């Protein structure tokens, strides 16, 4: 484990030092970054699933407004302040707290989650190609691949994305910068075009009536749970749980001049997780509530719409594959970057064949956030609460520990507790967060008394 | 200056994309011709945006 940890340190060696003041970025860059990152391929699926889950119009609007505001506040008051004060990535900060061994485990779990997410994005792109070539796509309740044609399609697209990622992340990142404003336009234009199919008059006089009766009418599709205001609020809040409460976005905010830059996340939340989700809801209602992102955009905007869905999947799968490769690289000694990217891409391609991850995206997002959330709670406790309780900080660093068992216990115990809690998956994370803080403080207190 | 002009042309293309969508919705354009126009204006955005990026990286 020691050698794995030292390899991991080499990989992140350029991030070891706090960001210097000459590298700090302007607020406009944060606004652009968030707006681009949160108008992704998954938005075509999430907004559409809200319709399938029978959300009412008022629950959707108020739930999204409140949930997104809580997400923005989480970035601004939890993630950004720690990032601005430490100027470190979560990786290096967690190393001081949890020890290098536990850091490896955290990174590996993160890599697997990234691969699944990239797999879901490949599947979204596959629906766009499928609609052009007439390949039947899975239905919302499918878990296993529905046909050989689907497996072939996702495999070809997954391998194509992997090869392009191997050939150059940077060029693709630049291409993604060009694409993101257009993808946002595809969402809005697709919804506007589909309004006429839903019967909205040109004077918009019956827009509200159509929204309440034909789109978000409160009737869940067969096999889907009924969602209400609190489901939407909670989902909008935890959708990026690993990033804000889980503190992954310390990597971004360490470049911020002030902690208030956390409020720039509103550009991502209210453009991507509000406007784009509403637009995809309109589109799915117009095609008869069929969970088919490619068909939604194709029916609205033709080839350009299908290309939009394909590119949205590609440009968002690309950085996700990169992050997965970076995290996996620690476990593969002496492998060059292309090889590890290819391995991550292969795993992602296999996962993308299974509709489970694409059709259960909402639950997957919940589990992803839930599993990584305790680490954010541990870091927050260590940074803000320990000094106030006069407890020693950074135990792993001071005692050169490979594993801080208290952190591991504070990670696993709350997860076991919340998985047994008889509440909906979406409501488990908040009690889990509080339990983690209590368990971690308690373990530290007991440890202090013993020593 | 050149970069700004190219960027402005790109933004105009995006605005044209939205205008096409509104015209389809209002029935001023048929679905077929609207989709074709959307494809053209989208292509315009990609041409101008990539030119702007090339000028920026020069």
């Amino acid at each position: 484990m020691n050698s794995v940890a030292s390899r991991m340190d080499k990989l992140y060696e350029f991030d070891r030092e706090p960001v210097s003041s000459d590298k700090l970025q302007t607020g406009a860059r944060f606004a652009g970054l968030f707006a681009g990152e949160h108008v992704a391929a998954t938005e075509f699926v999430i907004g559409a699933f809200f319709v399938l889950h029978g959300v009412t119009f008022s629950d959707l609007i108020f739930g999204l407004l409140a949930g997104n505001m809580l997400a923005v506040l989480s970035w601004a008051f939890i993630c950004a302040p720690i990032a601005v004060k430490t100027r470190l990535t979560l990786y290096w900060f967690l190393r001081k707290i949890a020890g290098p061994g536990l850091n490896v485990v955290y990174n590996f779990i993160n890599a697997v989650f990234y691969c699944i997410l990239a797999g879901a994005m490949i599947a979204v792109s596959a629906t766009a190609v499928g609609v052009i070539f007439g390949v039947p796509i899975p239905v919302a309740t499918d878990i296993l691949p529905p046909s050989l044609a689907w497996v072939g399609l996702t495999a070809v697209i997954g391998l194509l994305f992997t090869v392009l990622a191997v050939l150059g992340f940077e060029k693709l990142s630049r291409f993604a910068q060009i694409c993101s404003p257009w993808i946002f336009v595809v969402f809005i234009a697709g919804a506007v075009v589909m309004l006429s199919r839903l019967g909205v008059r040109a004077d918009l006089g019956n827009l509200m009536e159509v929204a309440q009766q034909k789109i978000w009418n409160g009737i869940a599709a067969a096999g889907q749970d009924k969602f209400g205001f609190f489901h939407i609020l909670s989902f909008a809040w935890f959708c990026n749980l690993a990033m804000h409460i889980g503190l992954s976005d310390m990597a971004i905010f360490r470049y911020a001049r002030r902690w208030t830059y956390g409020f720039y996340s509103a550009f991502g939340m209210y453009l991507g997780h509000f406007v784009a989700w509403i637009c995809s809801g309109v589109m799915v209602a117009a095609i008869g509530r069929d969970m088919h992102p490619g068909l939604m955009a194709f029916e609205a905007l033709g080839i350009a719409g299908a290309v939009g869905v394909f590119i949205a999947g590609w440009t968002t799968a690309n950085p996700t594959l990169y992050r997965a490769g970076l995290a996996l690289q620690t476990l593969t000694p002496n492998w060059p970057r292309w090889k590890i990217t290819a391995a991550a891409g292969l795993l992602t391609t296999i996962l993308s064949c299974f509709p489970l991850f694409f059709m259960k995206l909402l639950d997957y997002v919940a589990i992803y956030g839930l599993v990584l959330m305790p680490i954010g709670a541990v870091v927050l406790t260590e940074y803000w609460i320990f000094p106030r309780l006069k407890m020693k900080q950074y135990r792993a660093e001071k005692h050169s520990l490979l594993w801080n068992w208290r952190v591991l216990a504070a990670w696993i115990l709350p997860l076991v507790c919340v998985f047994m809690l008889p509440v909906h998956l979406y409501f488990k994370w908040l009690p889990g967060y509080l339990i983690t803080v209590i368990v971690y403080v308690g373990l530290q207190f007991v440890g202090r008394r013993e020593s | 200056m050149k970069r700004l002009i190219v960027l402005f042309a790109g933004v105009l293309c995006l605005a044209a994309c939205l205008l096409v969508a509104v015209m389809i919705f209002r029935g001023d354009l048929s679905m077929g011709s609207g989709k074709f126009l959307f494809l053209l204006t989208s292509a315009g955005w990609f041409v101008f945006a990539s030119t702007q990026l090339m000028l920026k990286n020069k």
Side-chain angles (χ1 to χ4, degrees), chain A residues 49-50 52-55 220-227 231 363 424 426:
Chain A
F49 260 124
F50 288 161
L52 268 60
H53 280 288
V55 179
Q224 306 289 342
D225 301 341
K226 169 94 174 74
F227 279 9
H231 291 91
D363 290 350
H424 192 277
Y426 294 4

Side-chain angles (χ1 to χ4, degrees), chain A residues 416-427:
Chain A
V416 173
C417 291
V418 295
F419 274 109
M420 288 190 300
L421 268 182
V423 292
H424 192 277
L425 178 64
Y426 294 4
F427 307 130

Side-chain angles (χ1 to χ4, degrees), chain A residues 24-184:
Chain A
L24 301 184
Q25 304 289 326
T26 61
R29 288 204 68 153
F30 282 85
L33 184 77
F34 272 96
E37 197 175 318
H38 296 281
V39 183
T42 43
E43 282 29 290
F44 280 104
V45 181
I46 294 170
F49 260 124
F50 288 161
V51 173
L52 268 60
H53 280 288
V55 179
T56 62
F57 180 68
S58 57
D59 283 350
L60 179 88
I61 298 297
F62 293 117
L64 288 183
L65 284 174
N68 283 325
M69 188 182 69
L70 289 168
V72 171
L73 294 179
S74 302
W75 262 299
F77 289 112
I78 293 177
C79 183
I82 297 180
V84 166
K85 280 183 186 289
T86 62
R87 301 268 175 222
L88 289 169
T89 59
L90 178 63
Y91 174 81
W92 281 109
F93 197 54
L94 185 61
R95 199 180 191 282
K96 289 162 169 262
I97 296 167
L102 204 51
N103 231 359
V104 171
V105 174
Y106 176 80
N107 255 29
F108 177 72
I109 293 172
N110 227 343
V112 174
F113 278 127
Y114 280 138
C115 286
I116 295 173
L117 196 59
M121 287 162 179
I122 289 169
V124 172
S125 285
T127 64
V129 181
V131 79
I132 294 168
F133 292 102
V135 175
I137 79 140
V139 292
T141 47
D142 275 351
I143 290 172
L144 296 171
S147 65
L148 266 179
W150 172 256
V151 173
L153 184 64
T154 49
V156 168
I157 294 172
L159 291 174
L160 176 72
F161 286 4
T162 305
V163 169
L164 291 168
V166 167
L167 290 178
F169 279 112
E170 285 186 19
K171 280 179 190 163
L172 279 181
S173 304
R174 267 183 244 145
F175 178 66
Q177 282 174 15
I178 295 174
C179 293
S180 58
W182 179 71
I183 291 167
F184 186 61

Side-chain angles (χ1 to χ4, degrees), chain A residues 213-272:
Chain A
Q213 290 177 5
K214 291 190 179 174
I215 308 171
W216 299 282
N217 58 6
I219 301 167
Q224 306 289 342
D225 301 341
K226 169 94 174 74
F227 279 9
F229 169 80
F230 286 105
H231 291 91
I232 300 296
L233 177 145
S234 190
F235 187 87
W237 190 7
F238 73 62
C239 186
N240 291 106
L241 196 66
M243 311 298 162
H244 46 67
I245 300 267
L247 301 176
S248 276
D249 272 353
M250 278 176 71
I252 296 172
F253 282 110
R254 67 199 168 123
Y255 291 100
R257 290 180 204 279
R258 288 180 292 279
W259 67 269
T260 48
Y261 280 23
F263 289 110
Y264 282 108
S265 57
F267 283 88
M269 292 303 96
Y270 288 101
L271 294 179

Side-chain angles (χ1 to χ4, degrees), chain A residues 174 178-179 181-182 185 188-189 192-193 195-196 200-201 204 298-302 304, chain B residues 14 17-18 20-22 24-26 31 35 38-39 42 45-46 49-50 53 56-57:
Chain A
R174 267 183 244 145
I178 295 174
C179 293
W182 179 71
V185 166
I188 297 179
V192 168
V193 169
L195 283 177
S196 58
V200 176
R201 291 194 305 267
L204 301 178
F298 183 77
E299 288 279 312
L301 302 168
Chain B
L14 281 188
C17 286
L18 286 174
V20 168
V22 172
I24 300 173
F25 164 67
R26 286 172 54 87
M31 271 303 244
K35 285 174 181 176
F38 190 87
L39 190 64
S42 298
W45 160 253
F46 277 98
S50 44
L53 202 68
K56 191 179 168 186
N57 293 328

